[in-house]
Amino acid sequence: MKRSWIFLRGLGRNSDHWGPFLDVFKKHFPQDEIELLDLRGNGLLAHSPSYLDIKNNVRDLRSRSRFIKEGREINILSISMGAMIAVEWAREYGDDVDELVLINTSERGTSKFWQRLQPLTYPRLAKILAQGKTSAETELEILKITSRLADKQKWSQAFKDSPSTTRTNFIKQI
């Protein structure tokens, strides 16, 4: 059975940050279609202001989704803030959604703010915000906070040329 997937990333991340996972997914589910959507303020939409709330993100993504325009039922694979958006999408537009796959959901009801964004990471996040521009060093710092990838150095180099989220949009997303 062919499924239609929307992949959503989280805070300050964009579709490029799926990295090798995208190829692994396609290998295991070759019949499925994937639509990569960036949140406003991230990726190809880094120039656009980010929304301050989850509901507006849902409405915006829904209005830009080719799958929704074609009337398809969707599955959403999402991580972090993307998972918060996926849950709200299913709440607001349940007829759109068949399945949700939520990774590290930052959903308010599942944990406290300081458990979702742990206080030990605050100094690192402040350093990232102070730099203001994406660089290999910035990406490496983010990977240290968020990933268990063995080769963080390699991926920090790969992600450094990805369109960066502005400091203002990053703060709005938080």
Side-chain angles (χ1 to χ4, degrees), residues 53-102:
D53 60 63
I54 298 300
K55 286 184 185 222
N56 278 322
N57 276 293
V58 171
R59 289 182 192 114
D60 178 62
L61 290 165
R62 197 169 179 272
S63 74
R64 290 189 286 120
S65 170
R66 176 176 57 91
F67 292 161
I68 294 300
K69 288 175 185 168
E70 293 172 359
R72 297 190 202 186
E73 188 174 58
I74 58 169
N75 299 284
I76 304 174
L77 188 144
S78 55
I79 186 167
S80 190
M81 186 174 129
M84 294 168 64
I85 292 166
V87 168
E88 185 61 27
W89 193 325
R91 275 190 201 125
E92 290 288 318
Y93 303 98
D95 291 342
D96 289 353
V97 180
D98 183 36
E99 296 178 314
L100 298 177
V101 178
L102 309 173

Side-chain angles (χ1 to χ4, degrees), residues 79-129:
I79 186 167
S80 190
M81 186 174 129
M84 294 168 64
I85 292 166
V87 168
E88 185 61 27
W89 193 325
R91 275 190 201 125
E92 290 288 318
Y93 303 98
D95 291 342
D96 289 353
V97 180
D98 183 36
E99 296 178 314
L100 298 177
V101 178
L102 309 173
I103 304 166
N104 293 343
T105 181
S106 298
E107 180 84 317
R108 182 177 297 154
T110 60
S111 59
K112 306 286 185 221
F113 176 79
W114 61 87
Q115 292 170 318
R116 297 189 308 264
L117 191 58
Q118 297 190 353
L120 290 175
T121 65
Y122 296 175
R124 288 170 139 173
L125 288 174
K127 178 182 174 186
I128 291 165
L129 284 172

Side-chain angles (χ1 to χ4, degrees), residues 3-174:
R3 297 174 294 182
S4 301
W5 288 92
I6 292 177
F7 281 21
L8 299 176
R9 292 293 308 199
L11 179 68
R13 305 284 81 188
N14 65 63
S15 298
D16 292 345
H17 290 95
W18 286 109
F21 176 77
L22 201 53
D23 291 332
V24 171
F25 187 91
K26 288 176 183 178
K27 180 181 176 189
H28 288 283
F29 304 101
Q31 73 284 0
D32 292 358
E33 284 188 70
I34 300 169
E35 182 176 22
L36 302 173
L37 292 176
D38 287 333
L39 303 178
R40 293 234 174 245
N42 297 339
L44 297 176
L45 300 173
H47 63 283
S48 299
S50 292
Y51 290 108
L52 292 171
D53 60 63
I54 298 300
K55 286 184 185 222
N56 278 322
N57 276 293
V58 171
R59 289 182 192 114
D60 178 62
L61 290 165
R62 197 169 179 272
S63 74
R64 290 189 286 120
S65 170
R66 176 176 57 91
F67 292 161
I68 294 300
K69 288 175 185 168
E70 293 172 359
R72 297 190 202 186
E73 188 174 58
I74 58 169
N75 299 284
I76 304 174
L77 188 144
S78 55
I79 186 167
S80 190
M81 186 174 129
M84 294 168 64
I85 292 166
V87 168
E88 185 61 27
W89 193 325
R91 275 190 201 125
E92 290 288 318
Y93 303 98
D95 291 342
D96 289 353
V97 180
D98 183 36
E99 296 178 314
L100 298 177
V101 178
L102 309 173
I103 304 166
N104 293 343
T105 181
S106 298
E107 180 84 317
R108 182 177 297 154
T110 60
S111 59
K112 306 286 185 221
F113 176 79
W114 61 87
Q115 292 170 318
R116 297 189 308 264
L117 191 58
Q118 297 190 353
L120 290 175
T121 65
Y122 296 175
R124 288 170 139 173
L125 288 174
K127 178 182 174 186
I128 291 165
L129 284 172
Q131 289 174 338
K133 200 106 170 98
T134 299
S135 65
E137 295 79 29
T138 303
E139 288 296 334
L140 182 59
E141 199 60 32
I142 292 168
L143 287 169
K144 286 178 184 176
I145 294 170
T146 61
S147 177
R148 292 189 180 172
L149 277 173
D151 197 353
K152 290 178 182 65
Q153 196 71 43
K154 171 187 165 193
W155 287 105
S156 68
Q157 288 296 319
F159 294 152
K160 76 176 172 54
D161 296 325
S162 186
S164 64
T165 301
T166 65
R167 184 179 308 146
T168 301
N169 279 335
F170 188 83
I171 291 168
K172 283 181 172 182
Q173 291 173 25
I174 289 175

